[in-house]
């Protein structure tokens, strides 16, 4: 399997612009997680989907952030409008069904907002 | 809120020596405790995990121990090698985790 795929790997944008991060989970996995990693706050869970349905979005920092999962093989995390404090590495992870708890991470998207 | 504390934040060992990283958690409902290794510019990689019905698990040079009563769990790496140098994260939870703050391990050749 190719593992979790994320794009783009790097994104540089100006404050106020819309940013869309993309994720393809491992085939057959039915849970998907979006995380943000910063030096100050470490690894934070933003949102969790199960069977394409958002289950827990309590980690989404504010209304500027939104996430969708239109089908089992694709998810997006959108920031609109972006701010410099959104600069971080964003990771997507997926886990399987049947009670499997192991999460497998993608390579991440490094976002820089200037 | 729930949290996971991880110590030490940095650890330097000589090649061949052992390394131990310790974590404590606060949520009693946690029943799954994975450990991740993160190399520079890469995503966290799952290296070993343990569930609450097990006290110890070993995989070659890596072992994890869990004390549910004390809410402690630890990662032990024996016979360390330079390629073990990375940042290691513990986590605790169920279907979702809370991560520790990470330990930067440096193995000196």
């Amino acid at each position: 399997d190719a593992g979790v795929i994320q794009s783009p790997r790097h994104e540089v944008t100006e404050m106020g612009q819309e940013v869309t991060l993309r994720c393809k989970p491992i085939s057959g996995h039915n849970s998907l997680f979006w995380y943000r990693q910063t030096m100050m706050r470490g690894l934070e869970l933003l949102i969790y989907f199960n069977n394409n349905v958002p289950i827990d979005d309590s980690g989404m920092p504010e209304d500027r952030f939104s996430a969708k999962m239109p089908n089992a093989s694709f998810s997006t995390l959108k920031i609109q409008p972006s701010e410099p404090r959104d600069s971080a590495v964003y990771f997507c992870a997926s886990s399987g069904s049947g009670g499997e708890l192991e999460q497998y991470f993608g390579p991440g998207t490094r976002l820089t907002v200037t | 809120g729930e949290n996971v504390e991880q110590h030490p934040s940095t650890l330097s060992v000589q090649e061949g020596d052992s390394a131990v990283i310790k974590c404590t958690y606060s949520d009693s409902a946690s029943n799954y405790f994975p450990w991740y290794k993160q190399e520079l510019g890469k995503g966290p990689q799952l290296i070993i995990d343990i569930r609450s019905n097990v006290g110890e698990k070993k995989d070659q040079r890596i072992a994890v121990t869990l004390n549910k009563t004390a809410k402690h769990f630890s990662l032990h790496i024996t016979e360390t090698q330079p390629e073990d140098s990375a940042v290691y994260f513990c986590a605790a939870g169920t279907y979702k985790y809370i991560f520790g703050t990470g330990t930067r391990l440096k193995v000196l050749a």
Side-chain angles (χ1 to χ4, degrees):
Chain A
D1 200 309
V4 175
I5 299 172
Q6 291 187 248
S7 64
R9 291 296 312 278
H10 302 274
E11 177 79 33
V12 180
T13 191
E14 292 183 349
M15 182 174 62
Q17 296 298 306
E18 177 180 297
V19 175
T20 300
L21 311 181
R22 295 170 176 79
C23 174
K24 176 179 170 55
I26 292 172
S27 177
H29 282 189
N30 68 342
S31 294
L32 184 139
F33 306 81
W34 282 100
Y35 288 89
R36 178 172 66 177
Q37 186 176 41
T38 62
M39 288 296 294
M40 290 298 297
R41 300 176 66 91
L43 265 167
E44 303 174 276
L45 177 64
L46 300 177
I47 188 169
Y48 155 58
F49 291 86
N50 184 253
N51 291 325
N52 311 338
V53 176
I55 303 299
D56 184 345
D57 65 354
S58 58
M60 295 288 262
E62 46 196 279
D63 292 345
R64 296 185 298 108
F65 286 69
S66 63
K68 294 182 179 180
M69 192 164 185
N71 57 62
S73 59
F74 184 66
S75 177
T76 59
L77 178 68
K78 185 177 295 186
I79 308 172
Q80 165 65 16
S82 58
E83 296 183 2
R85 60 193 170 113
D86 301 331
S87 298
V89 181
Y90 291 81
F91 289 103
C92 176
S94 70
S95 66
S97 59
E100 296 174 18
L101 301 176
E102 300 89 341
Q103 293 180 25
Y104 297 92
F105 281 73
T109 295
R110 181 174 293 278
L111 173 64
T112 302
V113 183
T114 61
Chain B
E2 308 298 352
N3 73 309
V4 174
E5 294 187 2
Q6 182 172 346
H7 301 280
S9 58
T10 60
L11 179 60
S12 292
V13 299
Q14 289 294 135
E15 182 178 0
D17 287 351
S18 295
V20 180
I21 302 171
K22 298 183 178 182
C23 290
T24 60
Y25 62 98
S26 59
D27 186 0
S28 299
S30 297
N31 63 1
Y32 179 67
F33 307 89
W35 286 87
Y36 286 83
K37 175 183 180 182
Q38 187 176 24
E39 297 175 319
L40 194 62
K42 297 184 178 180
Q45 177 189 8
L46 179 66
I47 56 172
I48 194 167
D49 56 14
I50 192 167
R51 299 192 180 222
S52 60
N53 58 347
V54 176
E56 185 174 352
K57 181 177 179 180
K58 188 173 181 180
D59 182 3
Q60 298 182 20
R61 298 186 296 109
I62 296 174
V64 292
T65 58
L66 171 64
N67 182 329
K68 277 220 82 177
T69 302
K71 297 182 185 174
H72 292 172
F73 57 116
S74 301
L75 176 72
H76 305 252
I77 306 174
T78 59
E79 301 173 19
T80 53
Q81 301 168 3
E83 52 265 38
D84 294 330
S85 296
V87 180
Y88 291 80
F89 292 94
C90 64
T94 56
Y95 66 90
K96 67 174 186 177
Y97 319 149
I98 295 174
F99 279 85
T101 50
T103 297
R104 184 173 298 277
L105 173 65
K106 187 171 185 179
V107 179
L108 306 171

